[in-house]
Amino acid sequence: MDNQYDVIIIGSGPAGDTAAIYASRANLKVVCFEGWQPGGQLTITTTVENFPGFEKGIDGKQLMQEMKKQATVFGTEYVSKDITKVDFSGQPLKVYAGEEEYQAKAVIIATGAKPRKLGLESEETFWAKGVSSCATCDGFFFREKTVAVIGGGDSAMEEANFLTKFATKVYLIHRREEFKASEIMLDRVKANKKIEILTNKGVDEVLGDQKVTGLRLKDTQSGETSELTLDGMFLAIGHIPVTDIFESVEKDDLGYIVHKENTMTNMAGVFAAGDCVDHRYRQAITAAGMGCQAAIDASRWLEDQS
Ligand code: NDP
């Protein structure tokens, strides 16, 4: 069987790619499944200003391409497939891309997280018809239009600012008075004349016909509703871990994978790193750091088994 490896890495964001660099430099036979979003969340962001080593920042997509190239230099094989099923019941560990089976002695889960949605039916109805969770991907379609960004964290600030490159007006809608966002990001939004901040407002309904035409908002304090005419809504309300397929792996109440011994999970030989584990820091640099730890742990664990 050809599909046999020392280490299978699931996910190709900063955690997966860094694990790939370390594991393949340790002379292990490594395959990395790029998954549903090759390169991970950084590929849909703009400039990354806080990854050390880049005085002027670096484009998120470019950063991920460089990481992949670096892992490839040391021998990591990249496969553009999504892992749909796993079997961690014994050695060898098995993962499946559809019907195709791959085997390894160790697996590193680095599947990251995906954007959270509001949970409204109308949000699904108008998804890609004015509703989006990626300003970098879809901002261009809103030239000279009015849009809203939902959320009060750094992502919402970044998206709102970015969208002012295209839209004539951007509403930043947040459900509370206080913001989770860092001061520097919030200050940039406050200084941007194209952005109007609406606090204590939740989205009650996305309104539209063929496309989004507005939002019905509900005041989170008075319960009063109001309507806002606009062309697009961008969600920036956090993320949920992509861990559903790992049924036998222990997770916390929010679905994040739990480490048992260093970066190893409750399943022998199964390690985890990055945003599928970490809901506290969620940074490219911390994900990369944890990817490094997982690869070192996997490599040492493999040595102990032989
Ligand atoms: P956060 O968890 O920081 O913020 C999510 C925001 O969405 C909160 O304001 C939250 O409201 C709001 N929210 C959550 N659920 C709902 C809901 N159902 N309805 C309405 N609002 C909701 O996530 P981010 O994605 O903004 O940031 C994640 C991490 O990434 C952070 O550590 C951040 O610093 C980092 N980041 C850094 C960037 C940079 O440095 N360039 C850029 C982007 C992100 P509430 O406050 O009420 O809970």
Side-chain angles (χ1 to χ4, degrees):
M1 184 175 172
D2 280 344
N3 295 346
Q4 285 178 327
Y5 296 87
D6 295 317
V7 182
I8 288 174
I9 297 168
I10 311 175
S12 58
D17 281 352
T18 308
I21 292 166
Y22 273 79
S24 47
R25 276 195 86 243
N27 244 351
L28 296 167
K29 188 181 176 202
V30 181
V31 62
C32 178
F33 288 91
E34 295 189 278
W36 64 281
Q37 189 176 47
Q41 292 176 60
L42 281 191
T43 56
I44 56 164
T45 190
T46 49
T47 309
V48 181
E49 291 177 341
N50 50 13
F51 199 89
F54 303 97
E55 184 193 3
K56 295 187 177 118
I58 180 167
D59 175 73
K61 211 176 208 161
Q62 192 194 341
L63 178 61
M64 295 323 300
Q65 280 164 356
E66 297 295 336
M67 283 193 202
K68 179 178 172 178
K69 274 194 253 169
Q70 194 176 346
T72 310
V73 165
F74 297 114
T76 297
E77 191 183 316
Y78 276 83
V79 177
S80 303
K81 285 181 184 158
D82 208 4
I83 295 303
T84 48
K85 199 173 72 172
V86 297
D87 176 0
F88 296 153
S89 57
Q91 282 290 342
L93 304 167
K94 300 181 186 109
V95 311
Y96 299 85
E99 294 303 307
E100 250 173 88
E101 183 182 309
Y102 295 80
Q103 298 183 351
K105 294 171 201 146
V107 169
I108 298 174
I109 302 170
T111 42
K114 65 181 176 192
R116 181 181 284 129
K117 293 182 179 179
L118 293 165
L120 298 170
E121 214 172 286
S122 53
E123 162 192 51
E124 296 300 335
T125 308
F126 294 109
W127 195 262
K129 294 174 189 151
V131 177
S132 168
S133 62
C134 176
T136 324
C137 320
D138 300 325
F140 186 77
F141 301 116
F142 294 88
R143 266 179 198 284
E144 312 293 318
K145 308 260 187 200
T146 300
V147 298
V149 174
I150 318 300
D154 282 339
S155 298
M157 305 303 134
E158 192 173 68
E159 300 277 87
N161 257 323
F162 179 74
L163 284 164
T164 59
K165 288 186 184 184
F166 309 100
T168 39
K169 166 113 190 168
V170 177
Y171 290 102
L172 180 83
I173 300 172
H174 181 37
R175 63 184 178 183
R176 293 190 298 141
E177 197 77 53
E178 299 77 28
F179 288 87
K180 259 191 189 170
S182 53
E183 222 149 286
I184 184 169
M185 304 279 271
L186 182 58
D187 286 347
R188 279 182 202 163
V189 162
K190 284 181 177 165
N192 192 324
K193 291 196 170 53
K194 283 187 172 179
I195 301 175
E196 183 177 338
I197 299 176
L198 304 177
T199 51
N200 298 323
K201 297 274 186 288
V203 179
D204 202 32
E205 207 69 77
V206 183
L207 308 171
D209 182 9
Q210 303 287 78
K211 289 192 286 186
V212 170
T213 55
L215 298 178
R216 188 167 70 229
L217 301 179
K218 194 173 190 172
D219 192 290
T220 50
Q221 296 192 323
S222 69
E224 255 175 56
T225 57
S226 57
E227 286 190 10
L228 201 59
T229 302
L230 44 71
D231 308 287
M233 173 178 85
F234 287 81
L235 294 172
I237 58 170
H239 292 84
I240 46 175
V242 182
T243 57
D244 282 357
I245 62 164
F246 307 111
E247 283 168 16
S248 58
V249 176
E250 194 179 322
K251 290 166 240 166
D252 68 11
D253 293 346
L254 298 170
Y256 290 87
I257 292 173
V258 175
H259 285 154
K260 284 292 174 188
E261 192 190 334
N262 300 316
T263 56
M264 190 153 83
T265 68
N266 60 313
M267 304 304 290
V270 180
F271 302 79
D275 285 11
C276 64
V277 176
D278 165 36
H279 46 85
R280 183 176 175 83
Y281 301 105
R282 293 179 295 186
Q283 303 299 303
I285 187 66
T286 51
M290 210 190 291
C292 156
Q293 290 173 307
I296 291 174
D297 290 340
S299 162
R300 288 182 184 162
W301 183 83
L302 286 169
E303 265 169 40
D304 289 345
Q305 307 305 304
S306 57

